[in-house]
Amino acid sequence: MASDLKDKVVLVTGASTGIGAAVAKGFAANGARVAVHYGSSSDDAQAVNSAIRASGGVSDAFQADVRSTEEVHGLVAKVVAEFGALDVLVCNAGGLVARRALPELTPEFYAEVMDLNVRSVMDCCVAAIPHLVQSQGSVVVTGSLAARMGGGNGASLYAGAKAAIGNMVRAYAREYGGQGVRFNAVSPGTISTLFHERHTPKDVLDGIQASIPMKRLGTPEDCVGAYLYLASSAMSGYVTGQVIEVNGGQLMP
């Protein structure tokens, strides 16, 4: 248990499924009050919310399109209005959008991928930083193994976006370290989620699994500990500007 997370207010974006859902439940299990954000998956978000409450946790679900600056600022304002503070921001919302080869890339597709994966993180941080300075809080961003390895076929923009996030974390860590706010990232490897169900053929996943030293794909639950560690000042109070790789040995930097 990360005892210093008890009663902390944690906003997890993209928390209706996959890693985000597991992370939201993990924070709640450690006593945090959790804002479960979702974009369009209302039923899934309410299921996460209900599971947290059924276990004795405190949470509520909040809808917003993270591609909209206005909605992101509204999201943070609603969370603070309901819970009275914001201690931890987990920027998890994002996605591949689609696999497209280089000749298929367009300015419109570029904007769609970057808005979802990069600008959304920037907007969340802009909206949250006054509250995080006040609470001496922290930000944990979801990166990707693709940031270091370039991603699979058709994932060049997604990989580039996740690489950008890593450098944003480092920049913001330098900028706000003196004000008591820490910025870090968790970089999952190949995790069994809807992401790969939608975008990665089974034979490709089988090949990836065979190449991983631990001989299995990751699960969302495998990632939770890294987020809790980075959010806990007791455990990682002197850790900022870092990217933690969670990939079963798929990459050993």
Side-chain angles (χ1 to χ4, degrees):
M1 295 282 288
S3 59
D4 66 316
L5 294 177
K6 183 174 174 55
D7 295 326
K8 298 293 187 183
V9 178
V10 181
L11 168 58
V12 183
T13 68
S16 58
T17 62
I19 293 172
V23 167
K25 293 173 183 176
F27 274 105
N30 281 266
R33 295 177 286 163
V34 182
V36 177
H37 162 264
Y38 67 98
S40 58
S41 302
S42 176
D43 290 347
D44 290 329
Q46 292 300 340
V48 172
N49 194 37
S50 296
I52 290 173
R53 292 180 174 183
S55 298
V58 177
S59 68
D60 204 353
F62 297 81
Q63 192 280 330
D65 183 348
V66 295
R67 297 169 298 183
S68 164
T69 300
E70 181 179 2
E71 291 196 27
V72 166
H73 281 260
L75 167 66
V76 172
K78 289 175 184 176
V79 171
V80 173
E82 178 163 337
F83 291 110
L86 181 60
D87 299 290
V88 179
L89 170 64
V90 178
C91 294
N92 174 72
L96 182 65
V97 180
R99 290 192 185 275
R100 290 195 182 181
L102 183 58
E104 300 170 332
L105 300 182
T106 64
E108 293 77 17
F109 183 70
Y110 173 90
E112 187 175 4
V113 174
M114 292 298 172
D115 284 351
L116 177 59
N117 291 287
V118 179
R119 191 164 62 81
S120 68
V121 173
M122 178 193 75
D123 285 341
C124 284
C125 292
V126 169
I129 195 62
H131 307 289
L132 296 172
V133 169
Q134 184 175 354
S135 65
Q136 299 287 277
S138 66
V139 177
V140 185
V141 179
T142 299
S144 172
L145 179 68
R148 287 181 176 267
M149 301 183 71
N153 291 341
S156 62
L157 291 183
Y158 175 77
K162 290 301 187 179
I165 287 171
N167 278 300
M168 288 164 64
V169 162
R170 296 179 185 98
Y172 299 155
R174 291 178 183 277
E175 186 173 354
Y176 286 97
Q179 297 182 58
V181 182
R182 298 181 300 111
F183 287 80
N184 292 287
V186 176
S187 175
T190 308
I191 309 297
S192 295
T193 63
L194 288 173
F195 179 102
H196 287 294
E197 288 181 24
R198 292 171 177 168
H199 300 296
T200 309
K202 184 180 183 304
D203 62 321
V204 174
L205 279 178
D206 289 343
I208 292 172
Q209 179 172 327
S211 73
I212 296 172
M214 293 184 71
K215 299 304 178 186
R216 67 175 178 86
L217 302 181
T219 68
E221 290 72 23
D222 286 326
C223 302
V224 172
Y227 289 85
L228 298 177
Y229 165 74
L230 291 173
S232 168
S233 295
M235 291 193 289
S236 64
Y238 199 52
V239 177
T240 194
Q242 305 302 312
V243 179
I244 295 182
E245 303 288 341
V246 182
N247 58 45
Q250 195 172 0
L251 173 71
M252 302 182 189

